C-alpha cells in the first residue's frame, strides 16, 4: 500500500470538514454515517448534508440522533436527514439496519466507536472494543455491499487512530481470553483492525467501483474519551488537539473530495496520505502492521469465521 505514489491534497491538520466540501456537489448521493449524534460523526454528517447528500444518521441513541438531524437540517439545502437505530455491538441490530436499507449507497463512513472501556463483552463473548469498532462495522459494510456496488461508484471510510501504532493484531487472542485485559491495548488493536479492513475491503471491492480508505481524525476531545481517567490523560503524548470540525475533515475528504476518485486501500491523516510511522515522530504516521496485505486478508477470514460461528443471542 505505501509503495504507491503518496497522495497529497491542499488540506492539512487545521482544515475543517466545511473547507473540504466547499464547492463539492453531492446532490443525489446517499450517505450513512455511524455514531453521528455528536463529535466527529456529527460534523461529518453535517458537511455531507451541506454538500447536498441525503444522510442517514445511524446511532444507538435515536433521541440524540433526532436532535442532530434537526440541527443539521436547519442549514442543509435538501434537509434529507434520516435517523436509524444502530448498535454496532449487537449483531441483531446490524442485521436489522442492513435488512431495512433499500437502494444504492454512495458513501459509508464507519465512524462510531468506543475507547478504553473496562473489560466488557458482547452477547457473543467478544471483547467490546474489537466487537464494536471492527466487527460491527465489518458486518455492516459487508451487509451493505450490494447497495455500495449498486451505486456504481461508492466510497467507504474506516476510522482508525494513532493508537494503532503500538498494537499489532494478536490473531490468536483478539478477544483477550488468554491475555490479561489491557483497555488501551485493546483499543489500539481494534484500530489496527479498522485500518486493515480498508486494505482488504478495497482489494476485494475495487473492481465493483467501491474504494475503501482508513482515516485517522487526530486527537479530538469528544465523548469517545469518556472512559479515560485523569491519569490516562496525564500519560498521553502532547497532542495538538483539534476541534470536531477539524477532526471530521479527513473523513469527509475520503468520502467526498472529487480528486480522490479511484484512490483506495490507503491510510490518511491531516488531509493527506500518511507517511510510514517512525518512533522519532510518534504522533503521526501509519505502522507497517496496519497496512500489511497478508494481515488484512487474515483478519478478513477471522472476522467471517467469528460472525459465522457466533450465536445470535
Amino acid at each position: 500500500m505505501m509503495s504507491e505514489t503518496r497522495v497529497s491534497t491542499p488540506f492539512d491538520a487545521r482544515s475543517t470538514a466545511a473547507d473540504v466540501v466547499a464547492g463539492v456537489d453531492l446532490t443525489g448521493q446517499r450517505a450513512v454515517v455511524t455514531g453521528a449524534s455528536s463529535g466527529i460523526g456529527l460534523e461529518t454528517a453535517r458537511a455531507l448534508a451541506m454538500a447536498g447528500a441525503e444522510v442517514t444518521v445511524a446511532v444507538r441513541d435515536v433521541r440524540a440522533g433526532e436532535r442532530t438531524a434537526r440541527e443539521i437540517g436547519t442549514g442543509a439545502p435538501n434537509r434529507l436527514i434520516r435517523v436509524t437505530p444502530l448498535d454496532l455491538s449487537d449483531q441483531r441490530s446490524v442485521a436489522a439496519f442492513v435488512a431495512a436499507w433499500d437502494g444504492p449507497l454512495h458513501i459509508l463512513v464507519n465512524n462510531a466507536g468506543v475507547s478504553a472501556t473496562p473489560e466488557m463483552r458482547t452477547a457473543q463473548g467478544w471483547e467490546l472494543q474489537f466487537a464494536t469498532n471492527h466487527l460491527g462495522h465489518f458486518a455492516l459494510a459487508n451487509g451493505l455491499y450490494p447497495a455500495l456496488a449498486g451505486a456504481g461508484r461508492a466510497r467507504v471510510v474506516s476510522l482508525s487512530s494513532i493508537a494503532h501504532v503500538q498494537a499489532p493484531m494478536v490473531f490468536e487472542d483478539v478477544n483477550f481470553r488468554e491475555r490479561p485485559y489491557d483497555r488501551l491495548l485493546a483499543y489500539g488493536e481494534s484500530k489496527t483492525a479498522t485500518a486493515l479492513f480498508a486494505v482488504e475491503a478495497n482489494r476485494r471491492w475495487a473492481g465493483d467501483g467501491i474504494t475503501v480508505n482508513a482515516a485517522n481524525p487526530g486527537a479530538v476531545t469528544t465523548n469517545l474519551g469518556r472512559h479515560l481517567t485523569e491519569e490516562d490523560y496525564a500519560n498521553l503524548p502532547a497532542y495538538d488537539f483539534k476541534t470536531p470540525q477539524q477532526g471530521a475533515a479527513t473523513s469527509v475528504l475520503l468520502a467526498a473530495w472529487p480528486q480522490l476518485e479511484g484512490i483506495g486501500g490507503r491510510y490518511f491523516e491531516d488531509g493527506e496520505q500518511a507517511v510510514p510511522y517512525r518512533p522519532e515522530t510518534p504522533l503521526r504516521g501509519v505502522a507497517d502492521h496496519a497496512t500489511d496485505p497478508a494481515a488484512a486478508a487474515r483478519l478478513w477470514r477471522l472476522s467471517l469465521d467469528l460472525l459465522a460461528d457466533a450465536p445470535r443471542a
Side-chain angles (χ1 to χ4, degrees), residues 100-125:
W101 187 266
D102 184 43
L105 175 61
H106 303 85
I107 298 168
L108 172 62
V109 183
N110 291 335
N111 168 84
V114 293
S115 170
T117 61
E119 185 170 8
M120 300 171 66
R121 299 189 177 274
T122 67
Q124 294 82 8

Side-chain angles (χ1 to χ4, degrees), residues 153-239:
R153 281 189 292 227
R155 300 189 188 189
V156 179
V157 184
S158 180
L159 264 71
S160 186
S161 164
I162 192 63
H164 83 274
V165 299
Q166 302 298 332
M169 296 300 304
V170 178
F171 287 105
E172 298 77 13
D173 191 24
V174 292
N175 286 305
F176 283 82
R177 297 185 184 280
E178 305 299 328
R179 296 175 285 168
Y181 181 68
D182 182 319
R183 58 201 178 90
L184 297 178
L185 181 62
Y187 176 66
E189 284 189 38
S190 77
K191 289 303 181 176
T192 292
T194 59
L196 290 172
F197 166 78
V199 175
E200 181 66 6
N202 191 76
R203 186 190 73 80
R204 289 171 175 259
W205 297 348
D208 299 301
I210 305 168
T211 53
V212 189
N213 288 289
N216 169 18
V220 184
T221 302
T222 68
N223 289 337
L224 183 65
R226 62 187 177 276
H227 293 292
L228 293 174
T229 65
E230 290 185 10
E231 181 180 358
D232 291 330
Y233 276 109
N235 290 328
L236 287 177
Y239 289 118

Side-chain angles (χ1 to χ4, degrees), residues 2 6 274-278 281 284-288:
M2 297 303 295
R6 182 167 165 261
V275 298
Y277 174 76
R278 296 288 181 267
T281 54
R284 59 182 287 106
V286 57
D288 289 344

